């Protein structure tokens, strides 16, 4: 009996460690991730729950030339948009990830996160050039060797985005358990008009997000950034 208890305690510690140590990594090494490892991670993630087992996720894995070519295309578009803001109409997100009008406490947390990261990187509030370059790191997958794109068939309802969140979290936790790190990226959504033709997605597919995956760079100070979390009692109502 003691051995059984010890096994479950050890298993719980491993799972909890993978969840609590997962964070968005913004600097990766060039170390490649074998395809069989990616295949395994996606198989594990596919056990995520979904309403009536619809399994609405569709994944595109970019490595090598496919990754490099997409990076070049979107970085060029990002630079072009900065030079001519009038191009914004060409780059629309396919769904509202963020609210149209922000309110507290969400805007406060967003600002805390943004300025905490920029402060670590030495980027001041008025330094538009450095801000632009840091934002563009998203479109380079933060140098990760693997880029992932996730799409959803438009026939599905909003509930499928809930299913998708569980799938993405499962993938990120499974990766962490294998010594890999990730960064989920909504930043790609505005460039869906470039991303989807590049990956061969149909017009019926909506880009949900991208993700960088690889081995974290231990020497890059950006990976020391740790986001805070509010206390449980701040978001929980206990009903007896």
């Amino acid at each position: 009996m003691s051995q059984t208890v010890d096994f479950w305690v050890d298993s719980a510690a491993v799972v909890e460690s993978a969840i609590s140590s997962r964070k968005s990594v913004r600097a990766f090494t060039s170390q490649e991730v074998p395809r069989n490892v990616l295949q395994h991670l996606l198989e594990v993630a596919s056990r995520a729950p979904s309403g009536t087992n619809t399994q609405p996720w569709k994944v595109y894995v970019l490595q090598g030339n496919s990754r490099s070519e997409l990076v070049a295309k979107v970085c060029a578009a990002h630079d072009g948009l900065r030079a001519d803001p009038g191009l914004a109409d060409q780059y629309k997100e396919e769904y509202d990830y963020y609210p149209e009008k922000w309110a507290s406490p969400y805007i406060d947390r967003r600002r805390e996160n943004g300025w905490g990261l920029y402060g670590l990187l030495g980027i001041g509030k008025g330094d538009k050039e450095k801000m632009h370059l840091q934002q563009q790191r998203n479109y380079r997958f933060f140098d990760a060797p693997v880029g992932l794109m996730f799409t959803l068939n438009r026939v599905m309802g909003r509930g499928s985005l809930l299913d998708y969140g569980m799938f993405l979290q499962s993938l990120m936790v499974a990766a962490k358990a294998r010594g890999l790190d990730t960064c989920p990226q909504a930043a790609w959504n505005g460039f869906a008009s470039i991303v989807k033709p590049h990956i061969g997605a149909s017009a019926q597919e909506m880009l949900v997000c991208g993700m960088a995956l690889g081995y974290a760079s231990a020497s890059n100070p950006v990976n020391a950034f740790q986001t805070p979390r509010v206390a449980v009692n701040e978001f929980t109502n206990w009903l007896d």
Side-chain angles (χ1 to χ4, degrees):
M1 182 65 177
S2 176
Q3 289 182 336
T4 301
V5 172
D6 289 344
F7 169 78
W8 287 114
V9 169
D10 290 344
S11 296
V14 170
V15 173
E16 291 172 7
S17 176
I19 294 172
S20 60
S21 63
R22 185 220 63 81
K23 64 180 182 179
S24 293
V25 163
R26 295 178 174 85
F28 292 84
T29 71
S30 59
Q31 182 179 347
E32 296 294 332
V33 182
R35 181 167 180 167
N36 66 313
V37 172
L38 296 171
Q39 175 86 21
H40 176 74
L41 294 177
L42 291 168
E43 287 173 356
V44 171
S46 73
R47 297 305 307 173
S50 58
T52 62
N53 199 34
T54 51
Q55 305 172 67
W57 36 81
K58 187 169 184 180
V59 185
Y60 295 85
V61 182
L62 296 101
Q63 297 173 280
N65 289 336
S66 65
R67 176 202 167 282
S68 299
E69 289 169 6
L70 180 62
V71 166
K73 290 177 184 177
V74 176
C75 284
H78 184 237
D79 286 339
L81 185 57
R82 183 192 180 191
D84 182 4
L87 296 174
D89 287 342
Q90 297 181 25
Y91 305 117
K92 296 287 189 180
E93 294 183 346
E94 297 189 284
Y95 70 99
D96 294 330
Y97 184 89
Y98 292 115
E100 187 174 328
K101 185 176 181 180
W102 286 92
S104 291
Y106 314 109
I107 185 60
D108 307 312
R109 295 170 186 166
R110 176 180 170 87
R111 286 169 177 161
E112 179 185 35
N113 181 74
W115 294 121
L117 176 62
Y118 281 3
L120 179 66
L121 296 172
I123 301 175
K125 288 186 178 182
D127 199 334
K128 294 183 179 180
E129 177 63 23
K130 286 185 178 180
M131 288 181 186
H132 177 78
L133 293 174
Q134 181 58 33
Q135 184 181 25
Q136 194 169 99
R137 295 280 296 147
N138 275 284
Y139 310 125
R140 300 181 185 279
F141 292 108
F142 298 108
D143 298 329
V146 180
L148 301 165
M149 291 293 163
F150 305 93
T151 68
L152 175 68
N153 193 303
R154 295 179 191 279
V155 74
M156 303 304 288
R158 285 187 294 176
S160 291
L161 291 174
L162 177 64
D163 301 336
Y164 231 118
M166 292 184 279
F167 171 78
L168 293 170
Q169 173 74 347
S170 296
L171 176 58
M172 291 186 286
V173 171
K176 188 63 183 177
R178 293 279 174 174
L180 290 152
D181 279 284
T182 55
C183 186
Q185 300 171 284
W188 290 94
N189 295 8
F191 293 101
S193 60
I194 297 174
V195 173
K196 290 201 304 178
H198 181 84
I199 62 178
S202 71
Q204 187 63 21
E205 294 173 60
M206 179 181 77
L207 182 64
V208 174
C209 68
M211 183 183 292
L213 186 151
Y215 295 94
S217 171
S219 61
N220 195 308
V222 74
N223 287 336
F225 184 63
Q226 188 76 39
T227 53
R229 292 294 188 271
V230 299
V232 170
N233 283 342
E234 289 189 42
F235 62 78
T236 305
N237 292 320
W238 304 95
L239 307 175
D240 296 323

